[in-house]
Amino acid sequence: MTAGPLARFTVLDLTRVRAGPTAVRYLADWGANCIKIEMPPAAGDMDMGGPRHGPDFQNLHRNKRSITLNLKEPDGKAVFMKLVEKADVVVENYRADVKFRLGIDYESLKKVNPRIILGSISGFGQDGPYAKRAGFDQIAQGMGGLMWITGMPGQGPVRAGIAVADVGAGLHCAIGILIALLERESSGQGQWISTSLLQAMISMCDFQAARWTIAKDVPGQAGNNHPTSIPTGVFKTKDGYINIAASGGHIYKRFCEAIKAPELVTEARFATDKSRAENRDALNEEINKRVEKYGSAELVKLLNDAGVPAGPIYKMDEMFADPQVKHLKMAHPVTSPKLGDIEVIGQAINMSRTPFEMRSATPEQGEHTEEVLKEFGYDASAIADFRKRGVV
């Protein structure tokens, strides 16, 4: 076990639910000293996003230490500010106004430590007409345009099957924090970086959003068809369904040759990219007629051998059984004192010298309170007094 490339940084984690914890997880997995700050049980803990020993919570909070600290108590806030003096990063995803009420906004933190970096995630932005609204992933999916382009044509809006706005905001926040840490090396100053579920969702709509900003084209639902690459979509085999991406002249020709349908290359309705787009439904019908005689695994191999992108459509258990997924080690073992040996989801970033490490399972609430406070100069009697008064 190594120290990790981010081991020199201390991160104070005030996050909850998903977007914020996702951001901190990137830092924790590459070795940052991440201290998760939670309310003491007696103070009425905030919604943390699900049962502590459930899959979601365990996957989000590995590689962290946990302390309890009541920021609503003057002494609790004083302890927090003492931690800020030596910390590098604070991450929070309260509603935009909460940090100001608690007195832990950027200007307040900066007075204690000019090098501090505050990473903030909100639902809709730190200011503006919706700043005080509570954020929720599905709300951002709807407002960010995703639900209008997801699902079958005419079906009505459909949410994505994952919390894409939450995860996207967490990823954007982590990138912002890393940029701020790099900038600090030259300026010596910290800064406040912020993102929101809404901004992340719009950013992740990417080319679909740009269709409007540049071409004034309003994308609609395309179902399992790719909105612009044709033919790309889901096709039925004799034992299930697979994805096939055969757009572009050369790949389309290889595809037709592989399924022994050269007539689909020469037929006027399908001979060019433009004609294939104009006759997409008819082309999909012709393709389905020809591929339904193949088994899914057989056809995936046949097409990939021919240089045509194709792949199975897995349930979660099937996905983790796939040999490539196993090779990528996307399920990582960790031992939890409460749950025993479990597997959490690995990172999708590979580094040749400094890979991420699964050092520890998600901690119990306040498991490291005494350990951490001693590191920051509090003795046993002070900690005992804090406990007695409900500060920790």
Side-chain angles (χ1 to χ4, degrees), residues 143-169:
M143 292 180 66
L146 181 65
M147 291 177 66
W148 196 257
I149 58 174
T150 302
M152 298 297 176
Q155 179 180 7
V158 177
R159 67 179 292 275
I162 62 170
V164 63
D166 275 339
V167 174

Short mmCIF file of all heavy atoms in Angstrom, two decimals, residues 143-169:
data_model
loop_
_atom_site.label_atom_id
_atom_site.label_comp_id
_atom_site.label_asym_id
_atom_site.label_seq_id
_atom_site.Cartn_x
_atom_site.Cartn_y
_atom_site.Cartn_z
N MET A 143 -34.91 19.52 -16.18
CA MET A 143 -34.61 20.90 -16.55
C MET A 143 -33.40 21.00 -17.46
O MET A 143 -33.27 21.96 -18.23
CB MET A 143 -34.38 21.73 -15.28
CG MET A 143 -35.62 21.93 -14.45
SD MET A 143 -35.31 22.90 -12.96
CE MET A 143 -34.89 24.48 -13.67
N GLY A 144 -32.51 20.01 -17.39
CA GLY A 144 -31.30 20.03 -18.19
C GLY A 144 -31.45 19.44 -19.58
O GLY A 144 -30.46 19.33 -20.32
N GLY A 145 -32.66 19.06 -19.96
CA GLY A 145 -32.92 18.61 -21.32
C GLY A 145 -32.85 17.12 -21.56
O GLY A 145 -33.28 16.64 -22.61
N LEU A 146 -32.31 16.35 -20.59
CA LEU A 146 -32.07 14.94 -20.85
C LEU A 146 -33.36 14.14 -21.01
O LEU A 146 -33.46 13.27 -21.88
CB LEU A 146 -31.23 14.33 -19.72
CG LEU A 146 -30.88 12.85 -19.88
CD1 LEU A 146 -29.96 12.65 -21.08
CD2 LEU A 146 -30.22 12.31 -18.62
N MET A 147 -34.34 14.41 -20.17
CA MET A 147 -35.55 13.59 -20.18
C MET A 147 -36.37 13.77 -21.46
O MET A 147 -37.11 12.88 -21.85
CB MET A 147 -36.41 13.87 -18.94
CG MET A 147 -35.77 13.36 -17.65
SD MET A 147 -36.72 13.75 -16.16
CE MET A 147 -38.19 12.77 -16.44
N TRP A 148 -36.19 14.92 -22.13
CA TRP A 148 -36.95 15.15 -23.36
C TRP A 148 -36.35 14.40 -24.55
O TRP A 148 -37.03 14.20 -25.56
CB TRP A 148 -37.00 16.65 -23.66
CG TRP A 148 -38.06 16.99 -24.66
CD1 TRP A 148 -37.89 17.26 -25.98
CD2 TRP A 148 -39.46 17.04 -24.41
NE1 TRP A 148 -39.11 17.50 -26.58
CE2 TRP A 148 -40.10 17.36 -25.64
CE3 TRP A 148 -40.26 16.84 -23.27
CZ2 TRP A 148 -41.48 17.49 -25.76
CZ3 TRP A 148 -41.63 16.97 -23.39
CH2 TRP A 148 -42.22 17.29 -24.62
N ILE A 149 -35.09 13.97 -24.43
CA ILE A 149 -34.45 13.25 -25.53
C ILE A 149 -34.26 11.77 -25.18
O ILE A 149 -33.65 11.03 -25.95
CB ILE A 149 -33.10 13.87 -25.92
CG1 ILE A 149 -32.14 13.91 -24.72
CG2 ILE A 149 -33.31 15.27 -26.48
CD1 ILE A 149 -30.75 14.39 -25.07
N THR A 150 -34.78 11.34 -24.02
CA THR A 150 -34.65 9.95 -23.59
C THR A 150 -35.99 9.24 -23.71
O THR A 150 -37.03 9.80 -23.35
CB THR A 150 -34.16 9.90 -22.12
OG1 THR A 150 -32.91 10.59 -22.03
CG2 THR A 150 -33.97 8.47 -21.66
N GLY A 151 -35.96 8.01 -24.21
CA GLY A 151 -37.18 7.24 -24.35
C GLY A 151 -37.61 7.11 -25.81
O GLY A 151 -36.99 7.65 -26.72
N MET A 152 -38.68 6.36 -26.01
CA MET A 152 -39.19 6.10 -27.35
C MET A 152 -39.97 7.31 -27.88
O MET A 152 -40.63 8.00 -27.11
CB MET A 152 -40.09 4.87 -27.34
CG MET A 152 -39.37 3.59 -26.94
SD MET A 152 -38.07 3.19 -28.13
CE MET A 152 -37.35 1.73 -27.32
N PRO A 153 -39.90 7.57 -29.18
CA PRO A 153 -40.64 8.69 -29.75
C PRO A 153 -42.13 8.64 -29.38
O PRO A 153 -42.77 7.60 -29.49
CB PRO A 153 -40.45 8.50 -31.26
CG PRO A 153 -39.14 7.77 -31.39
CD PRO A 153 -39.11 6.85 -30.20
N GLY A 154 -42.63 9.75 -28.87
CA GLY A 154 -44.03 9.84 -28.50
C GLY A 154 -44.37 9.27 -27.14
O GLY A 154 -45.51 9.33 -26.71
N GLN A 155 -43.36 8.73 -26.44
CA GLN A 155 -43.61 8.06 -25.16
C GLN A 155 -43.86 9.05 -24.04
O GLN A 155 -44.49 8.74 -23.05
CB GLN A 155 -42.39 7.18 -24.83
CG GLN A 155 -42.49 6.42 -23.51
CD GLN A 155 -41.25 5.57 -23.26
OE1 GLN A 155 -40.28 5.65 -23.99
NE2 GLN A 155 -41.29 4.77 -22.22
N GLY A 156 -43.35 10.25 -24.19
CA GLY A 156 -43.33 11.19 -23.08
C GLY A 156 -41.98 11.14 -22.39
O GLY A 156 -41.21 10.19 -22.59
N PRO A 157 -41.65 12.13 -21.57
CA PRO A 157 -40.32 12.21 -20.96
C PRO A 157 -39.97 10.96 -20.15
O PRO A 157 -40.82 10.38 -19.48
CB PRO A 157 -40.41 13.43 -20.06
CG PRO A 157 -41.54 14.24 -20.62
CD PRO A 157 -42.51 13.26 -21.18
N VAL A 158 -38.70 10.57 -20.22
CA VAL A 158 -38.20 9.40 -19.50
C VAL A 158 -36.89 9.75 -18.80
O VAL A 158 -35.99 10.31 -19.42
CB VAL A 158 -37.97 8.21 -20.45
CG1 VAL A 158 -37.39 7.01 -19.71
CG2 VAL A 158 -39.28 7.81 -21.14
N ARG A 159 -36.78 9.41 -17.52
CA ARG A 159 -35.53 9.64 -16.80
C ARG A 159 -34.48 8.61 -17.20
O ARG A 159 -34.81 7.49 -17.59
CB ARG A 159 -35.75 9.57 -15.28
CG ARG A 159 -36.12 8.18 -14.78
CD ARG A 159 -36.30 8.17 -13.26
NE ARG A 159 -35.05 8.37 -12.57
CZ ARG A 159 -34.18 7.40 -12.30
NH1 ARG A 159 -34.42 6.15 -12.68
NH2 ARG A 159 -33.07 7.66 -11.65
N ALA A 160 -33.23 8.99 -17.09
CA ALA A 160 -32.14 8.03 -17.28
C ALA A 160 -32.12 7.06 -16.10
O ALA A 160 -32.57 7.39 -15.00
CB ALA A 160 -30.81 8.76 -17.39
N GLY A 161 -31.56 5.88 -16.33
CA GLY A 161 -31.58 4.84 -15.30
C GLY A 161 -30.54 5.01 -14.21
O GLY A 161 -30.48 4.21 -13.28
N ILE A 162 -29.70 6.02 -14.32
CA ILE A 162 -28.73 6.33 -13.27
C ILE A 162 -28.86 7.80 -12.88
O ILE A 162 -29.47 8.58 -13.61
CB ILE A 162 -27.28 6.04 -13.72
CG1 ILE A 162 -26.89 6.92 -14.92
CG2 ILE A 162 -27.10 4.56 -14.03
CD1 ILE A 162 -25.43 6.87 -15.27
N ALA A 163 -28.24 8.17 -11.77
CA ALA A 163 -28.30 9.56 -11.30
C ALA A 163 -27.24 10.37 -12.05
O ALA A 163 -26.25 10.83 -11.49
CB ALA A 163 -28.07 9.62 -9.79
N VAL A 164 -27.49 10.60 -13.32
CA VAL A 164 -26.47 11.18 -14.19
C VAL A 164 -26.14 12.62 -13.81
O VAL A 164 -24.99 13.05 -13.91
CB VAL A 164 -26.89 11.05 -15.67
CG1 VAL A 164 -28.16 11.81 -15.97
CG2 VAL A 164 -25.78 11.47 -16.61
N ALA A 165 -27.09 13.38 -13.35
CA ALA A 165 -26.81 14.77 -12.95
C ALA A 165 -25.99 14.81 -11.67
O ALA A 165 -25.04 15.60 -11.55
CB ALA A 165 -28.12 15.54 -12.77
N ASP A 166 -26.33 13.98 -10.71
CA ASP A 166 -25.55 13.90 -9.47
C ASP A 166 -24.11 13.49 -9.75
O ASP A 166 -23.16 14.12 -9.28
CB ASP A 166 -26.17 12.86 -8.52
CG ASP A 166 -27.30 13.42 -7.68
OD1 ASP A 166 -27.37 14.65 -7.51
OD2 ASP A 166 -28.11 12.62 -7.18
N VAL A 167 -23.95 12.40 -10.47
CA VAL A 167 -22.61 11.89 -10.75
C VAL A 167 -21.82 12.88 -11.59
O VAL A 167 -20.63 13.12 -11.37
CB VAL A 167 -22.69 10.51 -11.43
CG1 VAL A 167 -21.31 10.04 -11.86
CG2 VAL A 167 -23.31 9.49 -10.48
N GLY A 168 -22.50 13.48 -12.58
CA GLY A 168 -21.82 14.47 -13.41
C GLY A 168 -21.37 15.68 -12.61
O GLY A 168 -20.26 16.19 -12.80
N ALA A 169 -22.21 16.16 -11.69
CA ALA A 169 -21.82 17.30 -10.86
C ALA A 169 -20.64 16.94 -9.96
O ALA A 169 -19.73 17.75 -9.76
CB ALA A 169 -23.01 17.77 -10.03
#
